[in-house]
Each structure stands twice: as structure tokens, then as C-alpha cells.
């Protein structure tokens, strides 16, 4: 695992596009320029921190922020994507374990995120030690 590098942004965007344009998402409406703007916005967020998992080439990328939240130093995952051909092969779990080790060494005491209630994603995060919060709900109202 390596720290996120802006110089590799194009590679990370390729992985993001690949992951979301293929099953189970099939988001054929994704436009590269919007994703690039999204990545730049994330990079410009205070306390941005990202990681890439590499085995000869970049297989996965994670984008998030470090947050000092009262008694906790937290890492908030905004995006975690794995190349489609490497999904369900342990790459995401390996990356998560390496990130956890790095974060612990840097005095981070929790990781949090929002994800869709897709059964596969919930299974992945539960398998990696995350629990569904009983104290919060993600809500949205489309206008």
C-alpha cells in the first residue's frame, strides 16, 4: 500500500470508472471530467488522505479524510474501489488491513463511512469488522 499521489490521479480515475461502469453498478452515465473534478474536490478537502493498493499495478484506491472528532481521531472513507477483475479476491481486505495498521500508527482510533445497502457491500464491510450503526441513518430527499 502507498499513500495517494496526485500524480497518479489518472490511474485512480481509471479504476473508479472501471469499477462503476461494470456490474453490479453499470453506471454508463459516468463522465470522466465529472469524476476528475470530484477527485480534485476530495484532494482539496482539509485533512484529505488517500491510499492505493499496489501489486505490480494499482489494484485499489481509497479516498478519505482524517477528522479530529471529540475523543476520537477518525478516518472517514469517502470512496474505496477495487478493479473489477480483482474484486472478491481479497484485494479490498488486504488494503483495509494495511490501512488500519497505518492509521493506528498515526493515532487514528476509528474508521467510518457511508455505503449503499447493497448486500455485497454490506457483507464486505461487516467481514472487515464494521458494524451498522443503530444511532444514525443516511437520509436523502431528491428535489
Amino acid at each position: 500500500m502507498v499513500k495517494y499521489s496526485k500524480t497518479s490521479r489518472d490511474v485512480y480515475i481509471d479504476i473508479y470508472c472501471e469499477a462503476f461502469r461494470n456490474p453490479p453498478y453499470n453506471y454508463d452515465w459516468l463522465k470522466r471530467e465529472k469524476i476528475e473534478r470530484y477527485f480534485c474536490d476530495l484532494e482539496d478537502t482539509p485533512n484529505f488522505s488517500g491510499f492505493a493498493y499496489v501489486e505490480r499495478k494499482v489494484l485499489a484506491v481509497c479516498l478519505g479524510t482524517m477528522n479530529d472528532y471529540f475523543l476520537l481521531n477518525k478516518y472517514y472513507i469517502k470512496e474505496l474501489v477495487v478493479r473489477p477483475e480483482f474484486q472478491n479476491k481479497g484485494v479490498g481486505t488486504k488494503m483495509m488491513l494495511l490501512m488500519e495498521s497505518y492509521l493506528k500508527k498515526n493515532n487514528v482510533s476509528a474508521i467510518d463511512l457511508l455505503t449503499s445497502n447493497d448486500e455485497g457491500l454490506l457483507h464486505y464491510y461487516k467481514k472487515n469488522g464494521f458494524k451498522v450503526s443503530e444511532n444514525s441513518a443516511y437520509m436523502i430527499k431528491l428535489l
Side-chain angles (χ1 to χ4, degrees), residues 22 63 112:
N22 287 292
L63 306 139
D112 61 350

Side-chain angles (χ1 to χ4, degrees), residues 79-98:
E79 300 290 344
L80 192 153
V81 293
V82 176
R83 287 185 188 271
E85 67 269 28
F86 291 95
Q87 292 175 5
N88 299 307
K89 295 187 175 155
V91 168
T93 297
K94 287 177 190 174
M95 181 174 187
M96 186 67 69
L97 291 170
L98 291 169

Side-chain angles (χ1 to χ4, degrees), residues 21-76:
R21 287 183 180 152
N22 287 292
Y25 305 103
N26 299 312
Y27 293 165
D28 58 359
W29 48 263
L30 279 175
K31 301 289 184 246
R32 186 175 182 85
E33 38 307 334
K34 287 194 91 152
I35 297 165
E36 187 169 343
R37 196 166 47 246
Y38 176 57
F39 272 54
C40 289
D41 287 348
L42 288 174
E43 291 169 5
D44 290 341
T45 303
N47 301 315
F48 169 80
S49 186
F51 305 94
Y53 183 77
V54 180
E55 285 181 7
R56 287 186 230 125
K57 66 178 182 177
V58 179
L59 303 183
V61 63
C62 181
L63 306 139
T65 56
M66 302 286 194
N67 298 299
D68 223 353
Y69 185 74
F70 301 105
L71 298 175
L72 296 172
N73 287 333
K74 298 187 337 180
Y75 181 67
Y76 178 66

